[in-house]
Amino acid sequence: MATIELENIRKVYPGNTVAVQDLNLQIADGEFLVMVGPSGCGKSTALRMIAGLEKISGGELRIDGEVVNDLSPQRRNISMVFQNYALYPHMSVRANLEFPLKMRNMSKGEITTKVNELARLLSLQDLLHRKPKALSGGQRQRVAMGRALVRDPVAFLMDEPLSNLDAKLRVQMRAEIGALQRKTKTTTVYVTHDQVEAMTMGERVAVMRGGILQQVAPPQELYEKPANIFVAAFIGSPSMNLFRGRLERQDQGFSLVLRDLRLEIDRSVLERYPSLPEYVGKEIVLGFRPEAVRMSEDLPGAVELEVVPETVEALGHEKMIYFSFPGEAVRVDVEPSEEEESKEVLTSLAVGRLPGEVNPQMGESLRLSLDSRKFYFFEDSSGMAL
Amino acid sequence: MESQSSEDLRKPKSPGKKNLFWRRLRGWWERTGWTLPLHAGLLFFGFLNIYPFLWMASTSLKTGSEAKSEKEILVPGLKYNLVAEAEPVYWDERDLHERQEEILEILWSEDERRRSFNETFVPYRVTPREYAVQFGMRDEEGNRNIATAREELEELREMGIVSTKRWQTENYRVVWTDLRFYLHTLTSFVITVAVVVITVLTSSMLGYALAKFQFPGKMLVFGLLILGAVAPREAVIIPIFHMIQSLRLMEGLWGMVLWLSAISIGNTFLMAGYFLTIPKEVEESAAVDGAGPLRTFFTISLPMAKPIVMTVGLFAFLNAWNDFLIPLLCTMAMPDMQPLAVAIYSFRGAHQDDWHLTSSAAAIMVVPVILIFLFCQRQIVNSIAVGAVKG
């Protein structure tokens, strides 16, 4: 049980590639923190720095208050589960599980007891004599977790452990890992690229992009209050619809002028975005999630829209409709580039999520309403939320 | 009524004898293609390859004169039967002192009888009757006596002058015991085991360091290794001899062991290459589990590299077992401690013409290699395909 503190952590590779930049994270004792982001965003590098497998180029790493920048991984008393499990192929499952304890010079009796207990916990008793190559993916995963658990470390580090499993097994293992962590109350840092995993497993989620931490917050807060366009687009599946337009005053409220459309925005948005008036006359980015799309209802604050769905995906409990939205779509690149976000000149498709009972037809005009209480606004240049 | 012409065109023509043959031949060719010629060619070349071993095996089971005869026969004892020749007694020069009297006795007592007998070996399978016809004692009337011939033959056999065996396995006994080959085999064995252990340890550790670590001078080490692996041994034999001499390595087996380990150092590249393919997550996992670099190497990396360790061990074994030149230089003064390759070379003195003994000694030297090949055949072929190192 330990706290992990990263203060201004930096990682620079020879050739001046900055993999992680100014990372500041405080992980509380017993917390389950998920680091999520697209490939190459530096999350694995940060994890490996915590483990001691990469040298820290700058900043301080503290475990339980003690600076451990130069401590070798052997001495840090943490365990790590790798993406491809990294089991010792020439040793049996039992030997794999015993290995960390042998390195700690525990007595043989103690080792056997602990291994047996752990095997029972993870339902591995019948597999103890087998070699890793004779195991299925899920079994290997459990052995890897067992090897990490067997030592009672101060922290668990997991580097995308579920990405090699099929979807069903993944869902099952997610629940098991979560349950295990709640039982042992060990500080866990979990790295994944799958935002669904992040949202379901983490107490707090740290979103990273290009080596820079974008936002760290509990999952619901990330969903409801994204700090910038990237977080808004990354969290939630399908991702948020983002369009660029110019804000103008209209009557008591505002309107957003998109290319072919003028969206009326009610005054009530000022409660959530009090600084909105400052941006009148400027280009801002509007975002709304597919869940904000409804069948036409005459609610206050709802923006009515007549659209022609181009594609309808029927999922049983809901239907996803893809319709063209007359505005300049904002595409979010996973790599931050020096140039602006790429502008799609053509109309791009917006996604809406409708209940399964509705029956929209492709090519047939449909009347929708967007709930403006669920609008998000972002600055055009920086991408930060208003 | 149909007109009947002399040629009834409706009936199929039955092919003549010659056509049938060609048709059948073409049918066979279409069915089998190049298979028969290919296999015949392969068998032939296979036979050519294996012929030296067959020759060696058969010669080692012949008697001396049978081996020396001009008729090359692969099956020993085929045409030499009852009366082959008198078996000479062999001794080794090292035993000269102890067995001096015994040897002189043999020389002087048996000599005449042996000499005369040696000149009259019978080249064909002979029955007592034929023996009587050719060599039998004449009785009073001047006729050759068959009964006497049989008795004489029996007598000669009891005296050990005549061999009645087809395959003379005594050659091996002579070579092993009288000519002290058990010593040489032991020496070879001890040297080879030492060389294999040293080579595997050093090349694996060096290969691991080259693959996994960065250190100043890494390129220099690389360069030296390549130089050592590439330089032809014969070109540098003089400086090597000088080095061995000045380091006083000639005065014992260890000089040889050191040298034989050194020439196998090219295997380091094999090791380094293989260690590069071991996923680093496994070793990182060991590090996180608490194993230091040395422990990781011996408990994780080296066991994972078993195939390449066996390959390197194999190459080292073959080098150590077969090497000739430097062991010759190192052991010239110590005939007892010569490894097999050198010991066989010393047949050139007293036993130069004794092909049967030389073959037996060579067979003794080859047997371990053949056994290893039989047991590790697949491994060896994979190693050569993967390794591509000379030797």
Side-chain angles (χ1 to χ4, degrees), chain B residues 122 214 319:
Chain B
V122 182
Q214 300 290 335
N319 268 331

Side-chain angles (χ1 to χ4, degrees), chain A residues 167-381:
Chain A
K168 261 209 145 110
L169 205 49
R170 214 179 293 170
V171 173
Q172 190 184 334
M173 290 306 298
R174 249 174 20 208
E176 275 187 38
I177 292 179
L180 219 50
Q181 195 269 346
R182 278 187 291 278
K183 190 151 96 167
T184 59
K185 298 211 186 24
T186 311
T187 317
T188 307
V189 183
Y190 187 102
V191 161
T192 179
H193 64 273
D194 181 354
Q195 51 107 12
V196 175
E197 260 176 42
M199 298 286 279
T200 54
M201 296 177 81
E203 282 176 34
R204 276 199 307 161
V205 177
V207 180
M208 291 191 66
R209 179 206 200 198
I212 305 179
L213 180 65
Q214 304 290 308
Q215 186 178 3
V216 52
Q220 199 58 27
E221 191 179 319
L222 280 180
Y223 184 85
E224 289 172 353
K225 300 198 182 68
N228 59 26
I229 290 185
F230 177 77
V231 176
F234 190 78
I235 302 285
S237 176
S239 42
M240 187 190 279
N241 302 294
L242 293 160
F243 294 99
R244 190 180 282 115
R246 200 172 63 250
L247 184 69
E248 284 178 7
R249 257 191 211 287
Q250 177 169 325
D251 306 332
Q252 293 297 322
F254 305 90
S255 69
L256 192 71
V257 179
L258 304 162
R259 209 172 51 247
D260 292 336
L261 183 68
R262 177 179 276 268
L263 278 181
E264 290 178 12
I265 301 172
D266 198 67
R267 275 186 65 86
S268 49
V269 303
L270 280 176
E271 291 163 14
R272 284 188 306 132
Y273 290 103
S275 57
L276 200 58
E278 298 167 27
Y279 289 86
V280 171
K282 296 208 190 115
E283 296 263 326
I284 60 170
V285 176
L286 165 75
F288 59 94
R289 295 202 186 269
E291 296 80 60
V293 174
R294 302 243 154 86
M295 295 304 292
S296 167
E297 343 159 323
D298 279 312
L299 288 178
V303 176
E304 298 288 311
L305 205 56
E306 182 112 5
V307 300
V308 178
E310 296 203 11
T311 310
V312 177
E313 281 175 5
L315 294 172
H317 56 285
E318 63 190 10
K319 291 203 168 66
M320 315 283 277
I321 56 168
Y322 293 78
F323 54 94
S324 59
F325 197 76
E328 212 175 291
V330 175
R331 260 205 331 175
V332 183
D333 293 327
V334 294
E335 280 300 308
S337 47
E338 305 291 330
E339 316 95 50
E340 294 174 341
E341 315 289 343
S342 70
K343 302 181 196 234
E344 293 262 316
V345 184
L346 315 162
T347 54
S348 186
L349 295 181
V351 188
R353 188 178 267 167
L354 296 176
E357 300 85 52
V358 182
N359 204 5
Q361 296 295 331
M362 284 192 287
E364 264 181 35
S365 168
L366 187 67
R367 204 162 170 80
L368 298 174
S369 82
L370 307 172
D371 190 351
S372 71
R373 288 168 301 174
K374 299 222 174 120
F375 280 173
Y376 296 90
F377 294 101
F378 303 93
E379 247 185 72
D380 189 17
S381 48

Side-chain angles (χ1 to χ4, degrees), chain B residues 125-293:
Chain B
R125 185 186 177 108
V126 73
T127 59
R129 187 189 164 78
E130 288 165 346
Y131 172 73
V133 164
Q134 290 203 310
F135 304 106
M137 300 199 327
R138 296 177 192 274
D139 63 7
E140 303 79 27
E141 289 138 27
N143 291 329
R144 299 225 193 233
N145 192 336
I146 294 179
T148 337
R150 273 216 191 92
E151 283 162 21
E152 183 170 315
L153 210 52
E154 195 53 38
E155 206 179 286
L156 290 172
R157 194 181 62 77
E158 274 165 18
M159 282 170 63
I161 293 178
V162 169
S163 164
T164 54
K165 288 197 287 204
R166 282 255 171 102
W167 288 9
Q168 313 291 326
T169 53
E170 280 153 16
N171 292 338
Y172 286 98
R173 186 194 53 80
V174 165
V175 161
W176 187 258
T177 318
D178 294 338
L179 297 180
R180 305 279 204 93
F181 253 64
Y182 62 90
L183 269 183
H184 299 137
T185 316
L186 187 66
T187 314
S188 266
F189 194 66
V190 164
I191 291 177
T192 306
V193 165
V195 167
V196 166
V197 167
I198 293 179
T199 305
V200 164
L201 271 179
T202 53
S203 56
S204 66
M205 293 209 268
L206 185 55
Y208 187 72
L210 285 177
K212 298 284 174 187
F213 301 121
Q214 300 290 335
F215 51 90
K218 185 169 169 173
M219 279 300 129
L220 183 65
V221 171
F222 244 123
L224 287 177
L225 276 179
I226 293 183
L227 199 59
V230 157
R233 217 187 299 178
E234 293 76 15
V236 296
I237 193 70
I238 294 179
I240 286 176
F241 177 67
H242 189 251
M243 186 169 72
I244 291 186
Q245 199 176 28
S246 33
L247 288 176
R248 302 169 67 91
L249 290 174
M250 284 164 72
E251 297 171 11
L253 288 179
W254 290 108
M256 263 192 298
V257 169
L258 226 63
W259 158 257
L260 290 168
S261 311
I263 57 179
S264 306
I265 205 64
N267 294 313
T268 309
F269 292 116
L270 278 179
M271 287 286 197
Y274 196 84
F275 280 126
L276 282 173
T277 65
I278 292 185
K280 71 174 175 150
E281 278 91 13
V282 178
E283 289 169 356
E284 286 175 347
S285 187
V288 171
D289 281 342

Side-chain angles (χ1 to χ4, degrees), chain A residues 48 53 73-74 78-80 82 84 86 88-90 99-100 102-104 147 151, chain B residues 279-282 284-293 295-296 299-300 303-304:
Chain A
R48 288 164 64 86
L53 299 170
Q74 287 86 349
I78 48 166
S79 333
M80 189 150 171
F82 292 87
N84 53 10
Y88 307 125
H90 58 290
F99 189 81
K102 277 217 217 131
M103 293 298 121
R104 295 264 181 280
R147 196 175 57 179
R151 258 194 319 149
Chain B
K280 71 174 175 150
E281 278 91 13
V282 178
E284 286 175 347
S285 187
V288 171
D289 281 342
R295 221 160 169 188
T296 313
T299 51
I300 309 287
M304 278 178 76

